[in-house]
Amino acid sequence: MNTIFKICCIHFSVVFFDDIRAEEYSPSYAGGSSRLDFLLKKEEIIVIESKMASNKLKDRQVGEQLIIDIARYKAHLNCKYLICFVYDPNNNLKNPSGLEADLSKKHDALNVKVIVVSPS
């Protein structure tokens, strides 16, 4: 993911939360583990995942990555809510509203909200 975008997400989140932990490891899932972009451990309920759409990361790829992330985070003890920010600076996503609607729902015990942000 774009480092500048990740830094902006951290700085924006600091306005609302005191304890933001970047790059925490998630439990192993399907033979591997990954890092959570942001964990708000004090609240014990929120994990934030961030993506940036590009020429190589469009609707299908973003959706697939988020589906994998959702499956991983369902196993995380401190994750009851998953907020996914997708930044699309060049309008590479053809159907951002569809992506939000398809994935923003309850996945077992995990509540997921996908938010796509683009300049237009």
Side-chain angles (χ1 to χ4, degrees):
M1 181 188 37
N2 185 302
T3 305
I4 294 171
F5 177 58
K6 186 179 283 191
I7 291 168
C8 289
C9 286
I10 290 173
H11 286 287
F12 176 75
S13 299
V14 167
V15 173
F16 301 103
F17 304 100
D18 295 327
D19 183 8
I20 301 169
R21 300 181 187 202
E23 305 274 323
E24 292 262 335
Y25 281 95
S26 69
S28 179
Y29 176 80
S33 64
S34 65
R35 289 190 227 174
L36 313 172
D37 285 345
F38 309 103
L39 172 64
L40 304 173
K41 188 163 180 114
K42 181 178 172 185
E43 287 75 15
E44 295 183 350
I45 56 171
I46 301 174
V47 172
I48 301 173
E49 180 61 34
S50 54
K51 306 277 182 206
M52 188 163 99
S54 67
N55 287 331
K56 295 182 181 182
L57 194 63
K58 296 189 178 188
D59 301 68
R60 183 172 143 232
Q61 294 84 4
V62 170
E64 288 172 349
Q65 286 186 14
L66 290 174
I67 288 167
I68 292 168
D69 292 334
I70 290 165
R72 285 187 193 279
Y73 298 148
K74 285 195 297 188
H76 196 284
L77 297 175
N78 291 324
C79 184
K80 293 192 178 33
Y81 294 90
L82 174 62
I83 302 171
C84 305
F85 289 108
V86 180
Y87 180 52
D88 186 15
N90 299 313
N91 296 308
N92 288 301
L93 300 178
K94 292 180 183 175
N95 188 6
S97 297
L99 186 67
E100 290 174 335
D102 289 348
L103 296 175
S104 293
K105 60 185 174 185
K106 192 164 189 168
H107 297 260
D108 297 329
L110 179 65
N111 295 291
V112 177
K113 178 67 176 170
V114 176
I115 302 165
V116 178
V117 178
S118 60
S120 60

